Amino acid sequence: TSLPTSLPIPGINARRVTLHVAHSWGGGLESWVRGMAAADTQHHHLLLTSHGQPGCYGLRIRLEDLKSGTTLQEWDLSLPIATTALRHLEYQQLLEDVIASHNVSQILVSSLIGHSLDALRSARPTAVVCHDFYPLCPAINATFAGSCAHCAEDRMNACLQTNPHHRFFPESETSQWMRLREAYVETLQALDIPLIAPTPSFFGHAKALAPELGEQQQFVIAHGDGYEDSQDCPLQAVTPSEDVRLQVVVLGSLAPHKGLHLLEEALSDLAPLVDVHLLG
């Protein structure tokens, strides 16, 4: 595929290139990556995503130019990555090729699902954007009969066997996840890679899973709303009426890991007051 004309030309176009590393599941993570790329006029943004299927999420790696939406290159891995590889020579080489051929100046890792920890080990400045608790937590949301205050090997083993939130990696083993967590934390510490999250609470939960992260660089950057001009999102006052019930729409996935139980607990109190519509 020929390169889109929007790509910067080293020595002519001075914009630096940011490479995002993410999964291809869509959702809020993809929306954030694309929103940042659209809002940042100082950098050109590329996206490196993993593609696969349940049980093996790194069959193919794809590079996309976020400005034009053009797929620049794809690689079918000869050694697929089921979850996250500790090291992967083929992945390391393709990452080095991307960095060199596109003059990448910095890397933002939003997900390591289907990738290798080598994504953290390049010579370019790197930061991790924390959309969830993976790979510290194979259930992703650090919830097992409540918020997880610790995660030793015995609790991890029970989680993999009985936690309904553990649904994306059914064939994995406790020893595998303990090794991955240890290697992930060691890599973050050895390279002094900063962690970025939208709220301070993330770091408290992450430290409960991996106490060593208490000393890691931490930055809180709140999410933007995407509406700089209020005219783009006009608000109209609603006058309450006794004969008209309030209508509430619940958008998105109604899965356990998205807080289904919270809606179930609230419905009995909401039902006498409002009509609830589920869309998703």
Side-chain angles (χ1 to χ4, degrees):
T1 304
S2 59
L3 297 182
T5 56
S6 60
L7 275 175
I9 303 173
I12 299 176
N13 185 325
R15 281 190 304 161
R16 298 196 301 168
V17 176
T18 295
L19 177 66
H20 296 266
V21 176
H23 57 55
S24 55
W25 298 2
L29 185 153
E30 180 177 338
S31 177
W32 180 87
V33 169
R34 295 186 182 278
M36 179 185 177
D40 181 10
T41 60
Q42 302 303 311
H43 295 78
H44 194 93
H45 292 259
L46 303 179
L47 174 61
L48 193 69
T49 49
S50 58
H51 298 258
Q53 60 193 28
C56 189
Y57 293 99
L59 294 171
R60 177 181 294 111
I61 304 297
R62 178 180 299 163
L63 180 66
E64 177 187 344
D65 172 36
L66 282 171
K67 183 175 182 179
S68 68
T70 303
T71 296
L72 302 178
Q73 199 167 353
E74 289 187 326
W75 300 263
D76 289 320
L77 296 178
S78 57
L79 181 62
I81 299 172
T83 55
T84 298
L86 303 186
R87 288 190 179 274
H88 195 287
L89 292 178
E90 186 180 6
Y91 184 96
Q92 181 182 3
Q93 184 59 59
L94 74 84
L95 180 62
E96 290 177 355
D97 291 345
V98 168
I99 292 172
S101 60
H102 297 284
N103 197 32
V104 171
S105 59
Q106 62 183 10
I107 298 176
L108 293 178
V109 177
S110 282
S111 179
L112 286 165
I113 294 174
H115 293 273
S116 169
L117 292 183
D118 293 303
L120 303 172
R121 301 186 183 110
S122 78
R124 297 296 186 267
T126 301
V128 173
V129 182
C130 305
H131 301 269
D132 53 50
F133 294 97
Y134 185 93
L136 299 174
C137 169
I140 294 182
N141 60 6
T143 300
F144 178 29
S147 296
C148 294
H150 63 90
C151 189
E153 188 170 352
D154 57 343
R155 180 172 172 82
M156 172 78 77
N157 190 51
C159 174
L160 298 186
Q161 295 181 31
T162 63
N163 188 357
H165 295 286
H166 173 61
R167 54 195 292 266
F168 297 106
F169 313 101
E171 304 302 322
S172 54
E173 298 180 354
T174 300
S175 58
Q176 169 191 342
W177 290 109
M178 299 301 288
R179 287 196 302 271
L180 175 56
R181 177 194 293 170
E182 181 181 1
Y184 174 64
V185 172
E186 287 180 351
T187 303
L188 293 177
Q189 291 182 315
L191 300 176
D192 197 24
I193 294 175
L195 304 177
I196 304 170
T199 63
S201 63
F202 172 88
F203 298 111
H205 291 299
K207 185 178 177 180
L209 301 176
E212 304 92 329
L213 291 180
E215 303 301 320
Q216 202 69 22
Q217 291 188 70
Q218 302 174 1
F219 298 92
V220 175
I221 303 177
H223 284 309
D225 59 17
Y227 293 100
E228 295 182 4
D229 187 347
S230 61
Q231 294 180 357
D232 293 337
C233 186
L235 299 178
Q236 297 181 353
V238 176
T239 302
S241 173
E242 293 182 359
D243 57 348
V244 177
R245 288 168 60 83
L246 182 65
Q247 306 296 303
V248 174
V249 178
V250 180
L251 298 171
S253 172
L254 297 175
H257 68 289
K258 293 295 185 180
L260 174 61
H261 70 285
L262 298 176
L263 177 62
E264 292 173 334
E265 294 169 1
L267 279 179
S268 60
D269 292 330
L270 289 174
L273 305 173
V274 302
D275 292 335
V276 179
H277 306 267
L278 310 179
L279 180 61

